[in-house]
Structures are given as C-alpha cells and as structure tokens.
Amino acid sequence: MTIGESILELLKQEISEIEYNRYIKQLSFCTQDSKSDFALFLAPNPLIASWVRTKYSEKIAHLFEIKTDIKPKVSIEVKNKRSSQLQTNDIVTQTPQHSAHQSLLNPAYTFDNYVVGSSNQFAYSAAQSVCEKPGSAYNPLFIYGGVGLGKTHLMQAIGNRLQTQGKSVIYTSVEQFVNDFTRHLRNQTMDRFKDKYRKCDVLMIDDVQFLSGKTQTQEEFFHTFETLRSEKKQIILTSDKQPKQIAGIEDRLTSRFEWGLVSDIQPPELETKIAIINKKCEINRVNITKDVIDYIATIIDNNAREIEGILSKLHAYAKLMNQEITLDFTKNVLKEQLKEKRENITIEYIVKFVSKELNVKPSEIRSKSRSKNIVYARRVSIYLARSLTQSTMPQLAQYFGMKDHTTISHTMKKINELLKTDENFKVKIEELTNKISAGEDV
Ligand code: ADP
Ligand code: MG
C-alpha cells in the first residue's frame, strides 16, 4: 500500500460510508509526482475533484502530518485533464495551488478579498494599523471569534501585505509549532528552532487555544514572545476565545496576550454574509443571480467556510447537468446537504465532542457519576442534544441513563438558570454550539 492509500484508509474510518464510496474511493494517489511535502491525488472528474478539494484536502494533509510528521500541500487534480469535456473553467477554489516550497500563506487571503461589516470592523482596522506600524502599533494583535468568521483570513492578509514589503513572515498553527519544537528538541537542533522563530519579522500563530495544557511548548513560546517583542517584531495570534477564557494557559502568557490589542470578530449579519458570497463568486468567477445569493446567505450558519463548498458544488452540478444555476436548481442541489447537515448532528456526536472539549470520557458522561466535572459535561451534553437534535425528552432520558423524561426537564431547567447567571457557562455553551453546528471534527 502506498502512503497515499494508507492515508485514504485512515480517512475512511472518519467519514460516512456513503461519502467514502462517492468521493474518496474514486481517488488514486499519484506516487510519481508526490513528494514528502506535496501529495497529489487524481479524481475521475471535476465534480469529485472540487468536492474533495474543499471538503477533505485539509483533513488529508492533517492525516499525513500525523503519520509522517510533515504536513504536505495536498493537491487534487482531474485525471486525463485534456480529454475530459467537463474540465473547461473548472472552479478555482481558494486553497492555494502553489508549489510545495512556497510560503504557507494563502495568496487569496488579502485585504482586498476581505469583506468589512460591523461584525469585523474593529479587527479589520486593527489589522490595517498593524500593517502601517508593524511591531509598534499593537503588539501582539490578538484576534478571537467563532469558527469560520475570518480570523485566519484577516491574519494572513496582514502577512501577505507585510511580506510584499519584504518582511519575513512566519505563519504557523500551534500543531506545527509543537511538531517543530519536539523535532528540534529530539534532534538536538534547538538553535535552529530558535533561529527560525526568533529571527523573523512577523510571527503569526493561528488558534492559540490549542496551546492549552502544553506546558513545555508554552515555556518555549514564552521566550520566543519575549525576544520578538523586545525587538519590536510583530506577533499576531488568533483564538476561538478571549485570552482569559482559554483554560490551561500559564498566567504570564495570558497576560501577555492582552498586552497589545485584543479584538473580537462577531458572527456576520445577513448583509455581510451576502457581501462575502458575492466576493467569493467574484474571486471564483461563478455567475449566480441575486436570489440565489440571498438564499445561500439564509441557509448557511455563521461559518463563511461553507460558502466555497456550496459554490463548488453548485458550479460542478450545473456543468454536469448542463443547467443554469437558478433558485430551484440551487434548492434541489443543496437539499441533500442540508439534510445531511441536520442528520450529522447526533447525540453520539455531541457527547463525543463535549467529552473531547471538557476532557471526560463519553462513558462517564452517560454514567451516574456525581463528580463535579462529569456532572458539568453531562449537563452541557444534554442541553446541546436538546437544542441541536430532534431528540425527545424520553429519548434523551434513555440515552443518558436517567429514570424518565422528568429528570431531563429538571436538568434543562437548571441549565437555563445557569445560562442566566453564569457567564462562563454561557460562553462555553455558545462556543460548543458554534463548533458543533459548523460540523467540526471530533
Ligand atoms: P476562521 O479562521 O475564523 O475559522 P477563516 O479565516 O478560515 O475563518 O475563514 C473561513 C472562510 O471564510 C475563508 O474562505 C475566508 O476567506 C472566508 N471569510 C470569512 N470572513 C470573511 C470576510 N469578512 N470576507 C471575505 N471572506 C471571508
Ligand atoms: Mg482559522
């Protein structure tokens, strides 16, 4: 089995059988053109290619990273490009299609491509100021907000801008940073690690909430931070919550996160969603009418990440069926997706998600344990299951091993009280609701 095939096997275990058979099974791994940091898969037609590209390429890259320690650029191309009639004007997704050695910044994540509305106005202005005076305006710039609200895009827009001004920019996920750190530690090449992260002009770390609990990396990051800041090098961080709300981070780091400017990004209003869809159509050269755009804006959650997937799908289906993208056509094509989305949120999924986020076992959530953190996780799960699935009270009672539905309604009452009085609890529930609705992986 080639490495590519074994990665697809791993992916198989994580997705539904239907999805696997429909898309992933159709792929072949191109050993010849792949390298350690570049993985090429071939799809039989553009529909499958664009679907896999938007939906799975990040996941595939991640699985490679777990298996090989290197996160490659994943490319999905159409087999026998020239002979396929369907190929003309295949949609350009915003995933960077660059060669394996280029910078990790997505060239499409620019200020020009960023739609500004009241939900992100403040963060946007802060980002602009950082570009004008890197290292001194706001250092660090800390941007937080829910999934798919444009944090990564905005951060990389700064990176792209500063890079064109000749600054050396490092963009990294916490995961990459940790991997890099442990590899250099193991190989006793820490001086190279320090060179890399302490000598850049701009260091951007995405989703710093994942530093939670990683004491040794936090220690290293602390020193990196101190060095960069004292030399007036710009640091930019993003997170799904504000510094104080991230558990498992040393106080000295939390306080430093707040030294510069902390700015949130709120969920977009309908108008901004429409503008983002328009922008994505423009970038991807997809022509759709206003009624279709309005419709898409109403069915997506706040997560703008869904937009490209939807556009790819519409575009591919329209070509396949040789049809215009009308409103009826759109509703038809997206019907299955909407259904799938609703069906994907099961009680099991919620419990698995909560158990991961709150560090308890799913079996504990379903047990009768009265220990404080387990009761907490159980309450959160019940609330989310009630609000995000169609489950009835008796069904929930049965699932959570409770006597009958009155116990559930009692729990719900308690939770509603907590939501009113306990700000932290409210924030946690909102955060989990966002993540689960966005279909984040467990
Ligand atoms: P986050 O990092 O907050 O999860 P991303 O930056 O990855 O979100 O954004 C998800 C997708 O939505 C990207 O394709 C991004 O370009 C797009 N997007 C989000 N907000 C905006 C915006 N204000 N303008 C244009 N595109 C946006
Ligand atoms: Mg992001």
Side-chain angles (χ1 to χ4, degrees):
M1 199 187 273
T2 62
I3 173 75
E5 286 161 355
S6 60
I7 295 296
L8 297 185
E9 275 299 306
L10 285 176
L11 184 60
K12 186 180 180 178
Q13 293 157 22
E14 299 195 13
I15 61 177
S16 77
E17 206 181 321
I18 300 175
E19 292 258 295
Y20 177 79
N21 288 333
R22 198 180 293 163
Y23 304 108
I24 304 303
K25 207 172 152 191
Q26 318 291 329
L27 301 180
S28 53
F29 181 62
C30 184
T31 344
Q32 211 178 6
D33 292 332
S34 299
K35 304 187 200 87
S36 63
D37 55 0
F38 179 76
L40 175 64
F41 291 88
L42 299 175
N45 63 46
L47 169 72
I48 292 178
S50 67
W51 187 243
V52 171
R53 213 176 277 144
T54 32
K55 199 152 176 219
Y56 300 108
S57 53
E58 185 53 36
K59 183 93 212 158
I60 292 174
H62 180 67
L63 290 171
F64 266 102
E65 189 178 10
I66 293 174
K67 228 175 144 92
T68 65
D69 236 25
I70 298 172
K71 189 172 187 175
K73 156 90 189 68
V74 171
S75 182
I76 316 288
E77 282 176 19
V78 182
K79 214 186 283 181
N80 303 328
K81 255 186 169 177
R82 253 158 267 133
S83 61
S84 163
Q85 286 179 342
L86 288 167
Q87 185 51 35
T88 42
N89 293 326
D90 188 25
I91 195 166
V92 223
T93 64
Q94 265 193 273
T95 329
Q97 297 293 315
H98 53 55
S99 79
H101 298 290
Q102 251 172 296
S103 139
L104 280 168
L105 292 176
N106 184 337
Y109 286 169
T110 59
F111 283 112
D112 281 347
N113 287 344
Y114 199 77
V115 173
V116 189
S118 54
S119 53
N120 56 26
Q121 170 73 56
F122 187 67
Y124 180 85
S125 308
Q128 294 272 3
S129 306
V130 164
C131 286
E132 275 154 33
K133 286 188 182 149
S136 56
Y138 303 119
N139 205 11
L141 173 63
F142 189 103
I143 304 170
Y144 74 94
V147 185
L149 299 188
K151 302 180 296 293
T152 300
H153 185 143
L154 191 56
M155 171 151 89
Q156 293 206 4
I158 305 175
N160 276 315
R161 170 81 55 85
L162 293 176
Q163 206 166 45
T164 59
Q165 294 169 8
K167 301 253 188 289
S168 68
V169 176
I170 295 186
Y171 165 83
T172 176
S173 63
V174 166
E175 206 174 356
Q176 274 170 337
F177 187 78
V178 172
N179 284 346
D180 229 14
F181 174 59
T182 40
R183 192 175 62 246
H184 283 290
L185 202 61
R186 194 173 54 227
N187 298 342
Q188 298 182 325
T189 47
M190 274 310 284
D191 44 335
R192 273 170 50 201
F193 178 88
K194 286 180 183 150
D195 258 12
K196 175 174 170 188
Y197 289 99
R198 296 184 192 184
K199 293 206 171 135
C200 58
D201 298 315
V202 184
L203 177 62
M204 309 193 295
I205 303 196
D206 214 350
D207 291 313
V208 284
Q209 73 272 14
F210 293 123
L211 275 176
S212 168
K214 301 195 168 74
T215 338
Q216 217 186 351
T217 315
Q218 282 182 34
E219 165 88 27
E220 182 55 39
F221 178 58
F222 174 79
H223 296 296
T224 309
F225 187 104
E226 290 290 275
T227 310
L228 288 173
R229 201 168 177 283
S230 71
E231 289 172 13
K232 288 202 176 321
K233 304 294 177 61
Q234 181 69 43
I235 300 157
I236 309 169
L237 308 166
T238 72
S239 165
D240 63 347
K241 33 185 142 16
Q242 48 179 303
K244 277 203 193 68
Q245 300 278 358
I246 314 176
I249 300 266
E250 287 174 44
D251 288 347
R252 58 178 186 173
L253 267 183
T254 308
S255 69
R256 275 164 182 77
F257 287 171
E258 294 173 335
W259 271 0
L261 183 80
V262 177
S263 169
D264 66 339
I265 297 185
Q266 290 293 324
E269 321 74 44
L270 188 62
E271 235 172 277
T272 309
K273 278 192 212 172
I274 292 174
I276 297 177
I277 299 170
N278 266 314
K279 188 53 115 186
K280 294 285 179 198
C281 287
E282 186 190 311
I283 298 165
N284 290 313
R285 277 176 255 120
V286 176
N287 249 329
I288 49 178
T289 49
K290 190 172 176 317
D291 55 342
V292 173
I293 293 184
D294 290 351
Y295 174 71
I296 298 174
T298 55
I299 60 163
I300 56 172
D301 300 315
N302 294 324
N303 185 346
R305 213 170 281 172
E306 285 178 77
I307 297 171
E308 270 172 349
I310 288 180
L311 293 182
S312 282
K313 194 169 180 178
L314 285 176
H315 183 78
Y317 270 87
K319 265 199 303 179
L320 204 66
M321 297 174 184
N322 203 9
Q323 277 216 12
E324 292 281 302
I325 305 177
T326 61
L327 184 58
D328 281 342
F329 176 82
T330 304
K331 285 186 178 165
N332 233 335
V333 171
L334 299 181
K335 199 162 60 192
E336 198 188 338
Q337 176 161 347
L338 284 172
K339 199 165 133 243
E340 253 177 37
K341 204 159 118 185
R342 271 197 301 273
E343 283 173 356
N344 269 343
I345 304 182
T346 58
I347 312 183
E348 284 85 11
Y349 173 73
I350 290 173
V351 168
K352 238 166 130 182
F353 207 94
V354 172
S355 78
K356 187 192 78 178
E357 292 275 326
L358 302 181
N359 268 327
V360 295
K361 295 193 191 113
S363 59
E364 290 173 326
I365 293 183
R366 295 180 69 179
S367 73
K368 298 209 166 11
S369 161
R370 300 303 306 159
S371 94
K372 210 171 147 200
N373 58 336
I374 296 174
V375 171
Y376 180 77
R378 188 178 306 129
R379 280 186 181 156
V380 170
S381 305
I382 291 175
Y383 180 85
L384 293 172
R386 181 74 181 142
S387 61
L388 297 175
T389 71
Q390 311 294 322
S391 314
T392 60
M393 300 258 210
Q395 279 168 344
L396 290 175
Q398 192 189 11
Y399 188 88
F400 289 99
M402 293 176 162
K403 212 169 72 213
D404 54 29
H405 70 275
T406 50
T407 339
I408 293 285
S409 84
H410 180 72
T411 310
M412 287 300 291
K413 225 160 120 192
K414 252 215 176 98
I415 299 170
N416 282 321
E417 272 159 30
L418 271 179
L419 282 172
K420 281 188 211 129
T421 52
D422 184 340
E423 183 64 20
N424 282 338
F425 184 70
K426 196 172 139 218
V427 169
K428 193 79 212 169
I429 290 279
E430 276 169 7
E431 180 200 328
L432 288 170
T433 303
N434 271 337
K435 286 185 174 172
I436 290 171
S437 313
E440 236 184 58
D441 296 332
V442 202

